[in-house]
Structures are given as structure tokens and as C-alpha cells.
Amino acid sequence: MDHFTYRHRVLHCEEVSVADLAERFGTPLYVYSRATLLHHLRQLQEAFAAVRPLICYSIKSNSNLHIVRLMVEHGTGCDVTSGGELYRALKAGCPAEKIVFAGVGKTDAEIRTALDRDVALFNVESEGELLAIADLARAAGRVARVALRVNPDLPPKTHVKTDTSVKGVKFGLDIETVVEFAQRLVGHPHVQVVGLHMHLGSPILSVEPYRQGIEKGLILIDKLRAQGHRIDVWNMGGGFGIHYRKQEALPASAFAAVIVPGIQASGCRLILEPGRFIVGNAGILVSRVIYTKDSGGKHFVIQDAAMTDLVRPTLYDSFHRIWPVAPPADVPAPPSDYEADLPGTIRSDVVGPVCESGDFLAKDRALPPVVRGDLLATFSAGAYGMAMASNYNGRPRAAEVLVAGRDAILIRRRETFEDLVRPEVEV
Ligand code: LLP
């Protein structure tokens, strides 16, 4: 469920016309729906209520301070992956005791800050990292609470670039050797192993990986406890998929049905690190058609959003629904099956202005005919859209707007050319 609907043939976000927003704030423009964000958060909170989880919003998916603050105000903690994200989480008002620090390459400076702020948990991914945390905790006179991030070695489940629990990726400690590794940490004066962490990949559209992860985790927790570790936290990461193409995603309750009994059996407190599930369908990218052209037997729609605004199609061949903000009368509704050639549509490549053949938002897509000046909406762009944006080709990053009912507030202004050169030392 989301709050992007067509009314009188114009796309609305909640009560606000997206065409009006584009006039007011310009394009490319990210538009988020507050009601949709909170709806998805509530779905998770309700589905997992039986085990009273700590939901740590994964701020890498969308780190705008207003969105992080909204999450924190509604009870979440934060999953951070860097000093920069830790800074954001704290700035948005997230209490340190609700922050978990993940990431395969934490630097000494980042670890020091996290120790100093006393974050809830370090998700530890290597022996080297463990040694660094132990050293820095000793120097600071602290005890670091860590969860061992385990790579449970499951079958492939997502795009190869976002699968984190197959053998051979850089993430986590190998499940075969983690017990041996943990043995050396028993009774450590500055590192306390309090939990297990697994992030299986993203986006995941089946409960099976979670079922397998839970199975392996339960065995592991028994072994770690037998060694004398107090394992009372189980962090299952994020990864819950969303609707990109049609209604392909599972509800939160389906994941909960598999995860909750496992957590209850373990006696652990559940931590979740969802990002995409909360923010993915809560955001769209609005762009304006600059030109259309036919060449090489193809029809191109050249619009002002690019791989610099939304890199997912370029990087992962991801599918995002695209439809005009004000479609023509004879093709009013976006299709439910995007593979189909709908009457009145033209197979189009939707591309941006960047000088790369890989700069596209969609290829060979059935789209109503559009002309210069028309607006397009790229849906399900709230997660890993703006968060992965860049300034390549001298492109200022887009503005972001948060809609709540009839109100729309600018939560990030469009960058200026001056913004782009400011960090460079004057010539
Ligand atoms: N926890 C950890 C340790 C993670 O690495 C991630 C995502 C999450 C939580 C949040 O996963 P989510 O609930 O959002 O699926 N840029 C890619 C996705 C990369 C995911 C990275 N890690 C994309 O656009 O599909």
C-alpha cells in the first residue's frame, strides 16, 4: 500500500498534486509520502510485536535527516555503517543505545567515536576488526558490546551485487570457523560477545533464506552459549523486499511467521535493520522530458533525471515502474503487468543526459507517448535513490520534498553549481 494515486488523471502524493510539486520545486525531484513511510514502519512493528523488537532503521537506504528523525520519533533506532551515518543518526536525535554499527571496514576513528558515544552494538565482521575494537576499548577504558556477523553460506537469493550471505563475499565471519574464533574471546576484559548478526541480502522476496538463517543461527547460538558467551541479542539485519514491478513483495507478517518462533526459541532480543521495506515505496523520482528521438530502431525518451539521481537500473538492471504524471486520456492507468505491450503505448528507452550508454532508467518499456515538457514519475525510488546519487557530469543533486496530507515541505534543497565547487581548494 502506498499513497501515490492518480486523481482526475494527475498523480497525487497523499493530497498534493505531483505536477504542482514539480512546478514549485523543479525537477528532478524526489517526493516522499509521510503516511506511506509510517504505514510500512507500522507493518513491521505490528508483525513482530510478539517479540518486542528493536527496529533499527537502516539509514543507508535514505539518510535524509527529516526521514531519519521521523523514524526515530516513531520509535526506531538506527543501523549505521560509517562515521558519517553515525553523525546523522545522532543529529536526527537517535539515542546511542538504539544505534547498531555495521560495516566491514570500520576505521579506528569511527570505532573511537562509537565507543565514546557508547552505541548499543558493534556488528563485527573480521578478526582484525575485533582486535582493533578490543585495543581501542582498552585504551578508552570501556567494554565494547559486539554481535558476531556470520555469513551463513546460503544459496544465491538476490542480484549478485547485493547478495551478502553466499560463500566468498566480503561480509561476515565464516560460519565454519566462527565458533573457533569466538573461543578466543571468552572472558575478554574489553569485548563482550552479546549477540549474533546476520544480514542475508537485499531485496529478498521469499521467506526461505530467513528460515535457513534461523535454523543455522539457533545451532550457532547454542554453541556460543556453551562456550560461556552471553548471547542475548539476535540481529537479523534487513533485506525485506518491496513492490517494484507489480505486487511481488511479501507482507511483513510472512517474514515474522518464520523469524518470530526462532527468536522465541533462542530467548534473544530481536534486532531488525530494515531500510528498503520502510522507505522504498514511499518515494518517487519526478523528472521532465527534455526531448524524444528515434534512432537505431528505438524510441528514446530523454528526460532530466539520470543515473546520477537513480543508479539502480544502471548498477543492478533494476526495474522501476515509470508512468507519466498526467497520462493521456486513452491510456490513463499504469499497467499492472509491465511486460505487456499495452494499446496506445510505445516501447521506449527512458534515458538521462549523462554521457554514458549505461545512463537509463528503463529500457524497452511500454509507455504512453510523451512530448517535451511532460512529467514522468519513477516509482519505488525512495530507497537507495537519493542515497546513492552523485554529481557526475557536473550535475547538482535533486531536491527532496516530504508530503504529509495537504502539506509539502522541502527537506533538501536542490544543489547549486556553487555547492559543487565549494570543497575544492580555490585556484
Ligand atoms: N543491514 C545491513 C548490514 C545491510 O548491509 C543492509 C543493506 C541493510 C541492513 C538494509 O537492507 P534493506 O532492508 O534496505 O534491504 N543499493 C542496493 C541495496 C544495498 C543494500 C546494502 N545493505 C539496492 O539499491 O538495491
Side-chain angles (χ1 to χ4, degrees), residues 34-52:
R34 184 179 186 273
T36 311
L37 283 161
L38 295 180
H39 167 78
H40 286 105
L41 173 59
R42 237 181 350 262
Q43 296 292 300
L44 289 170
Q45 288 168 329
E46 287 172 10
F48 288 91
V51 288
R52 299 172 54 80

Side-chain angles (χ1 to χ4, degrees), residues 124 148-152 172-175 178 196-199 220:
V124 169
L148 301 177
R149 176 169 179 176
V150 172
N151 177 348
L173 297 151
D174 282 345
I175 192 150
V178 65
L196 190 64
H197 177 240
M198 287 181 181
H199 169 72
L220 197 52

Side-chain angles (χ1 to χ4, degrees), residues 43-66:
Q43 296 292 300
L44 289 170
Q45 288 168 329
E46 287 172 10
F48 288 91
V51 288
R52 299 172 54 80
L54 173 59
I55 296 179
C56 292
Y57 170 58
S58 191
I59 76 178
K60 68 171 78 68
S61 61
N62 188 317
S63 57
N64 185 291
L65 286 173
H66 290 257

Side-chain angles (χ1 to χ4, degrees), residues 159-175:
H159 188 280
V160 66
K161 287 182 185 150
T162 57
D163 203 336
T164 54
S165 58
V166 280
K167 209 179 188 130
V169 297
K170 70 177 176 180
F171 297 104
L173 297 151
D174 282 345
I175 192 150

Side-chain angles (χ1 to χ4, degrees), residues 58 60 79 199 202 238-239 273-276 312 316 384 388:
S58 191
K60 68 171 78 68
D79 155 41
H199 169 72
S202 168
E273 301 173 337
R276 188 191 316 264
R312 302 191 70 257
Y316 318 116
Y384 307 106
M388 296 176 80

